[in-house]
Amino acid sequence: MRATILTFPMLLALTAARAAEPVRIWLGAHGTSGRVTFAVPRTVTASLETLDSDTVHVVLPGAGSVPGSVRGTRNVIAVDGGDDGAVLILAPGSHVTLRQSPGHVVLEVNGETAADAARGIAAAPVKAATGIAAAPRIAPASVPAPTQQVAMPRLAAAAVTTSTLAAPGASHAPPASVGIQDDSEARTASPAMPPPAQGPPASTADSLPTDGLVASRLPADAGDALLVPFDRDVGAAAFARGGVAHVVFDESKPIDLAQLKGDPLFGGARVMLLPAATHLTVPLAPGKRLALRRRPEGWVLAIVPDSAPAATSTARLQAGEVHLDMPQAASSVVLDDPATGGKLLVGTVTGDGPGVAVAHRSPEFALLPSWDGVVVAPQSDRLALQPDKTGFTLSAGDGRALATVISPEAEKALAEAGTLTRHFDLTDQPVAMRRDRLASELAVAATAPRLGRYKPRLRAAEDMLALGMAPEAAALMRVALEDDPDKASDPDAVALLAMANWLAGRGDGAALTAPALGNSDEIALWRAVLQPGEDSKSAATLANSWRIALAYPEPLRRALLPKIAARLLRGGERAAAADLLAKVPESYLDNQRALALQMDGKTDATLALLDRIGAGADRKRAAAALRDGVELRLAAGKITPAAASDLLDKYLYAWRDDATEEAQRLRIAALRDKAGAWRQALAGLRETDRLFPDAHDRVRAAEKQTIADLLAAGAAERLAPLDLVALVEENEDLLAEKGASETLAPVLVDKLMALDLPDRADPILTKLAAVTQSPAAKAALGARLAALRLEMNDTAGVLTALRDTDSATLPPDLAAHRTVLQARAVARQGDADGAMRLIAGLSSPEALELQARLLEKRKDWHGAEGALQRLAGATLPSQGALSDAQQDLVLRLASAAAEAGDIALMQHLQVGDGTRLGAGPRAELFQALTAKPVQAIGDLARSGREAVAARAVPAALASYDAH
């Protein structure tokens, strides 16, 4: 036999062939474009051939076996592999751009999105070309929405029953090796999957076989319902996934949807036929869900409110398997996951419900919420979902125990939650597992394109909330929304951000009011917790939904349950609060137990519990207990407001967060105000305003209240003069308010004048006048400043103060007072005539007094007599005793009459106002001024007495200038 001789080039080619790696494929999206990337030998040069308007052949000569993908991406419905090339099935109107670098071929597909295209595409075979096997067109219902989520690993097709991942009738041929990946993460699977068993083709409502079932709307009195006439032995399951409702029937039979065209509720329904099942999708409005009802004539699909009650099953871990109680379990179906492109195991039932209310995740599977039946998202290809007499069993196909995390505690919490409906993935799982998931999701987000990071970040934020990392979750959601502004209206994102902010002590729950979030019990719980105030409505909602929180991870329970318990107690739901406190014996609810004791009137027991908590190691809880203890002792009269403010100030730094510290500072200021320590209260509020700019309005309101309390009932008069001066200098802007400036300024000036400190009062009044906005208040301060400067003999300053505070619209009395002050200053400058002209038209007592004094100085006794008569008529009472100042006015009037020789006026005074003078020097002087002249020897004695009295006149009149 002749040996074959291998030349060096042949050896080189053989070595290269053996070393060549298999071709790999990545599918992803970049912006509005789909992207298909092939990893090929560096020697391959690619080219494109257009087979028809929506089918393109990429030729890869020398590449060998090229894998395909039934999972599409943006503008790409599917990729069919083959030898030395692949066929891309495109959405209508799409076009392809080829880019190549050594070892990589990249196809950018632009045009309509796959979801848009899928709505109008009928099933059709792909043309065969250049030896590439044709593949069936993917039906619209099987096209996943464009997403950047990391797909689950493709699961090997094995010879198993319908309870395993392989579809019935699948080929038993051993698969070769291939990689199906996307832009965000490489996933290893097997190549060149053998063609699937030929079953009924995928179809839409517009291209159905004629022997299909006919779906029809039920009469209006049956509600919003649809009848699908499957036989009695056909099972069904219903769940939400990928933003729509999914119904899976365990028989492959076409459904004619022609009668539903244009229907406002069911017009968007779509059907896809699987080898052993029928998959129906129905778009739902926010706050709605599907309810399946088994009737003799078929299955009824009813649209009901999301809050409508539903039967639910519980999951139990027994001998390494998960059991779900569903006596009407029918069959198990394998379905493409519309959210991830992976696989779902769906368990159908032959009767109404139940479903699974609470999601559960483990390293090997995710048990998803469902309305009817069971839905499992496997993370491993060795899982099997099998029906039995009591329900479904989820187990590992190789007999090993599942790596599940359904602990007895988790089972108890799920049982407590009962039929309450969920919205977020916040189930109780081991902290280590959550951390691993968080690290994985953050890694996926870090390596994904910018617009592909949103969903892994959303899942990471849920994990952060579950781990008690509320500030970190809020920061991550803000970054996610900044990088992808189109998601700013995503209700889940906005809700998670609101929840995280609230748990971190920032913001409220206004975002949770969005109708798109639906009305699940979980959303109702969070809305009630985040609702401002402690009203009975939110407490009543919590009384029905608080058990959901029992199934939350421990870090989230610690953050949420104390707030729920407090809201229940303050909202009047005492029974629900007692139930919660009894079911959760952990010490982190001791503060709420103390509140319950307090509400029961057990003050001493409450204080003892609060003191014990205050001495504990948990600083946040201890600080809250210390504050509560101070308030309770104050309410019980055991301490004064001053002592309470000192204690709260002492505890101010026991625990610091923005919301708590701000509230505590405002409370300290209020207590100091109540204790009369106004200066300290205002100083603390000033510091709070600097530290918490966002609280400016609340601080300002507290400052105004303190000033109002200070001015009430003459409280300022009780302050020491120097304390009052310091308070005014530190709070000039607050005292610029009309009430404060008009009330406090006179008190301040009087105190400073009593201390002989007019020079201290002048600058303070000047500043107050400068910052006061009200024209009348400003003019009043100007008048007070002018009077002060008259006392200091600063006539130029008087005129300046009046000019700087003048206004054209002032009350008549205030305007007259300011004119008199101006006239007094002008008179002091030597211009008596100018002063008289200023007050000539005024009739106020103050103006008449100044007029009389000026006339007396001129010795114009007739004029002075007239001015004094008008002043007496305006100021003297008609009867009764006269004050010293009023008696002096009578003496001045008598003196002017005597100087003017007005005998009639003197006689009138003798029998009138003169008789009201009290005994003493004033009465004797009055007699001397009004006595008759000496006409006989008998008058000499009287004249002597009058002479003695006359000598007292200068001393008696020495104070006239002061009046």
Side-chain angles (χ1 to χ4, degrees):
M1 183 173 65
R2 193 173 71 175
T4 301
I5 300 175
L6 298 177
T7 63
F8 177 75
M10 294 172 63
L11 288 172
L12 184 62
L14 179 60
T15 303
R18 289 177 177 174
E21 296 183 358
V23 175
R24 291 177 295 163
I25 181 175
W26 289 266
L27 277 77
H30 185 70
T32 59
S33 301
R35 177 178 291 176
V36 181
T37 303
F38 295 95
V40 299
R42 298 175 65 88
T43 58
V44 171
T45 301
S47 62
L48 290 178
E49 295 179 358
T50 301
L51 303 182
D52 56 32
S53 61
D54 56 357
T55 309
V56 173
H57 178 205
V58 55
V59 182
L60 305 171
S65 178
V66 178
S69 173
V70 296
R71 174 190 172 208
T73 184
R74 193 177 295 275
N75 305 321
V76 179
I77 297 177
V79 179
D80 185 32
D83 294 332
D84 292 337
V87 172
L88 272 65
I89 305 171
L90 309 179
S94 302
H95 60 277
V96 182
T97 302
L98 172 67
R99 294 189 289 106
Q100 183 168 355
S101 61
H104 291 87
V105 175
V106 180
L107 303 177
E108 295 283 352
V109 185
N110 299 289
E112 299 176 29
T113 65
D116 294 335
R119 280 192 284 269
I121 301 175
V126 179
K127 296 180 180 178
T130 63
I132 300 176
R137 177 68 58 85
I138 305 300
S142 69
V143 179
T147 177
Q148 287 295 321
Q149 283 184 285
V150 178
M152 291 192 299
R154 308 300 287 176
L155 303 169
V160 291
T161 66
T162 58
S163 62
T164 63
L165 290 175
S171 171
H172 295 180
S177 165
V178 75
I180 297 178
Q181 306 178 356
D182 63 19
D183 280 348
S184 59
E185 182 178 341
R187 298 287 190 184
T188 301
S190 40
M193 293 285 289
Q198 295 299 319
S203 60
T204 68
D206 297 329
S207 59
L208 285 170
T210 58
D211 60 346
L213 305 173
V214 178
S216 59
R217 281 293 300 269
L218 293 180
D221 57 2
D224 298 325
L226 172 71
L227 173 65
V228 182
F230 275 104
D231 293 338
R232 295 182 62 90
D233 58 347
V234 175
F239 58 95
R241 193 71 169 160
V244 297
H246 298 262
V247 182
V248 177
F249 302 98
D250 56 19
E251 181 181 41
S252 181
K253 200 165 189 178
I255 302 176
D256 186 353
L257 303 179
Q259 294 187 20
L260 303 180
K261 281 190 175 181
D263 188 285
L265 296 178
F266 295 100
R270 294 292 181 267
V271 174
M272 185 184 74
L273 293 182
L274 304 176
T278 303
H279 181 193
L280 174 68
T281 60
V282 181
L284 288 181
K288 300 292 185 180
R289 69 172 179 87
L290 278 184
L292 297 188
R293 300 167 188 163
R294 180 71 249 192
R295 297 294 180 265
E297 62 273 20
W299 279 102
V300 174
L301 282 62
I303 297 179
V304 298
D306 193 29
S307 58
T312 60
S313 174
T314 57
R316 305 188 316 278
L317 178 64
Q318 294 178 353
E321 298 178 338
V322 176
H323 296 270
L324 297 107
D325 295 329
M326 292 188 181
Q328 295 177 309
S331 183
S332 178
V333 175
V334 179
L335 180 71
D336 286 335
D337 189 343
T340 66
K343 295 293 182 182
L344 294 177
L345 301 179
V346 180
T348 60
V349 293
T350 57
D352 302 356
V356 175
V358 181
H360 170 74
R361 294 185 182 275
S362 80
E364 290 189 299
F365 68 90
L367 180 60
L368 304 179
S370 62
W371 299 316
D372 296 86
V374 179
V375 184
V376 177
Q379 303 288 348
S380 167
D381 60 359
R382 63 188 182 95
L383 296 184
L385 182 66
Q386 299 173 330
D388 54 35
K389 292 182 179 180
T390 61
F392 287 94
T393 299
L394 181 65
S395 60
D398 55 9
R400 289 182 293 174
L402 289 179
T404 182
V405 292
I406 301 182
S407 63
E409 293 78 10
E411 282 191 43
K412 182 179 179 182
L414 294 178
E416 288 286 349
T419 61
L420 298 174
T421 53
R422 306 291 290 272
H423 186 92
F424 297 105
D425 180 16
L426 296 173
T427 49
D428 192 6
Q429 299 174 19
V431 172
M433 177 183 168
R434 280 279 186 183
R435 287 175 177 167
D436 290 344
R437 280 182 50 187
L438 174 61
S440 175
E441 287 153 356
L442 292 176
V444 170
T447 57
R450 182 172 181 176
L451 295 181
R453 301 170 186 168
Y454 173 73
K455 287 198 173 180
R457 281 173 169 170
L458 195 69
R459 294 192 298 270
E462 282 187 331
D463 284 335
M464 287 178 174
L465 276 183
L467 291 169
M469 302 166 61
E472 294 81 358
L476 181 62
M477 288 309 306
R478 285 193 292 269
V479 171
L481 294 177
E482 289 171 2
D483 281 356
D484 196 349
D486 290 343
K487 298 297 190 299
S489 59
D490 181 359
D492 283 353
V494 176
L496 281 174
L497 179 58
M499 292 157 60
N501 277 333
W502 183 81
L503 286 170
R506 298 186 294 269
D508 56 30
L512 287 174
T513 59
L517 283 170
N519 295 311
S520 66
D521 294 313
E522 186 171 31
I523 290 297
L525 177 140
W526 281 94
R527 284 171 177 161
V529 172
L530 272 63
Q531 181 178 337
E534 304 290 350
D535 61 12
S536 57
K537 181 179 178 181
S538 61
T541 300
L542 289 174
N544 294 324
S545 59
W546 64 266
R547 290 174 179 81
I548 288 178
L550 296 180
Y552 280 170
E554 196 272 342
L556 189 55
R557 289 200 305 271
R558 291 179 66 91
L560 198 59
L561 286 178
K563 302 178 187 300
I564 292 176
R567 180 64 61 89
L568 289 172
L569 287 168
R570 295 193 173 100
E573 296 291 342
R574 301 290 298 279
D579 194 10
L580 169 58
L581 295 175
K583 289 184 182 300
V584 185
E586 282 82 354
S587 61
Y588 61 76
L589 286 176
D590 281 349
N591 295 68
Q592 287 65 45
R593 292 186 177 90
L595 177 60
L597 288 172
Q598 180 184 348
M599 296 178 77
D600 289 338
K602 300 176 181 179
T603 302
D604 292 338
T606 305
L607 289 174
L609 179 55
L610 290 175
D611 290 344
R612 187 170 73 247
I613 301 170
D618 188 324
R619 291 182 58 197
K620 184 175 183 179
R621 291 179 48 244
L626 291 172
R627 293 191 300 270
D628 292 343
V630 171
E631 296 292 352
L632 182 55
R633 286 181 168 89
L634 178 64
K638 297 179 179 292
I639 57 176
T640 64
S645 66
D646 290 342
L647 285 173
L648 287 179
D649 190 53
K650 175 183 176 182
Y651 302 148
L652 186 60
Y653 301 113
W655 175 263
R656 301 193 70 181
D657 64 57
D658 290 351
T660 301
E661 184 174 349
E662 174 198 326
Q664 191 166 344
R665 285 175 171 274
L666 291 175
R667 179 59 177 156
I668 292 170
L671 289 172
R672 285 176 172 164
D673 175 14
K674 190 174 182 180
W678 296 289
R679 185 180 176 189
Q680 295 91 325
L682 290 170
L685 290 171
R686 293 279 181 185
E687 183 181 31
T688 303
D689 201 13
R690 289 193 300 271
L691 294 175
F692 302 95
D694 291 343
H696 175 74
D697 292 342
R698 292 185 291 277
V699 172
R700 189 72 174 184
E703 289 173 332
K704 290 181 179 180
Q705 183 60 50
T706 302
I707 291 295
D709 294 341
L710 167 66
L711 299 176
E717 297 179 1
R718 298 194 295 272
L719 281 177
L722 292 181
D723 284 344
L724 182 59
V725 171
L727 184 147
V728 171
E729 289 179 338
E730 294 165 358
N731 301 277
E732 292 170 1
D733 57 334
L734 292 171
L735 297 173
E737 302 288 337
K738 178 180 178 181
S741 60
E742 292 178 347
T743 307
L744 189 59
V747 175
L748 172 66
V749 173
D750 292 343
K751 284 183 175 290
L752 291 174
M753 294 301 292
L755 290 175
D756 197 19
L757 294 174
D759 54 331
R760 293 292 300 275
D762 189 305
I764 293 174
L765 284 175
T766 301
K767 290 179 181 178
L768 285 176
V771 298
T772 299
Q773 300 299 319
S774 168
K778 191 180 189 73
L781 282 175
R784 194 68 181 89
L785 180 59
L788 176 64
R789 289 176 176 175
L790 274 175
E791 298 288 344
M792 299 168 63
N793 204 28
D794 180 7
T795 56
V798 172
L799 298 177
T800 299
L802 294 173
R803 182 182 64 249
D804 292 345
T805 60
D806 197 15
S807 174
T809 56
L810 294 177
D813 292 346
L814 178 58
H817 173 57
R818 288 169 58 86
T819 300
V820 172
L821 290 172
Q822 181 182 0
R824 290 177 64 186
V826 169
R828 292 236 183 137
Q829 290 178 338
D831 187 3
D833 292 337
M836 289 293 293
R837 286 193 296 273
L838 286 171
I839 61 175
L842 301 179
S843 59
S844 66
E846 184 182 24
L848 294 173
E849 167 64 32
L850 177 58
Q851 186 181 36
R853 185 160 16 105
L854 292 175
L855 292 171
E856 286 171 338
K857 287 186 177 181
R858 285 183 177 181
K859 300 189 183 300
D860 182 356
W861 301 113
H862 287 288
E865 179 186 5
L868 289 169
Q869 278 187 292
R870 293 193 295 275
L871 180 60
T875 60
L876 295 182
S878 59
Q879 58 185 359
L882 300 177
S883 66
D884 289 348
Q886 291 169 341
Q887 292 184 48
D888 289 343
L889 176 58
V890 173
L891 286 176
R892 289 175 64 195
L893 181 55
S895 175
E899 293 288 354
D902 191 345
I903 302 300
L905 178 58
M906 289 189 292
Q907 290 176 347
H908 176 73
L909 290 174
Q910 283 180 327
V911 297
D913 291 333
T915 61
R916 299 162 69 185
L917 299 178
R922 286 188 177 86
E924 294 175 357
L925 178 56
F926 178 80
Q927 291 300 326
L929 291 174
T930 60
K932 297 178 180 179
V934 176
Q935 296 177 349
I937 294 176
D939 296 332
L940 290 177
R942 174 177 58 80
S943 176
R945 292 193 300 272
E946 292 171 353
V948 172
R951 285 195 292 271
V953 171
L957 297 178
S959 62
Y960 279 2
D961 284 347
H963 300 315

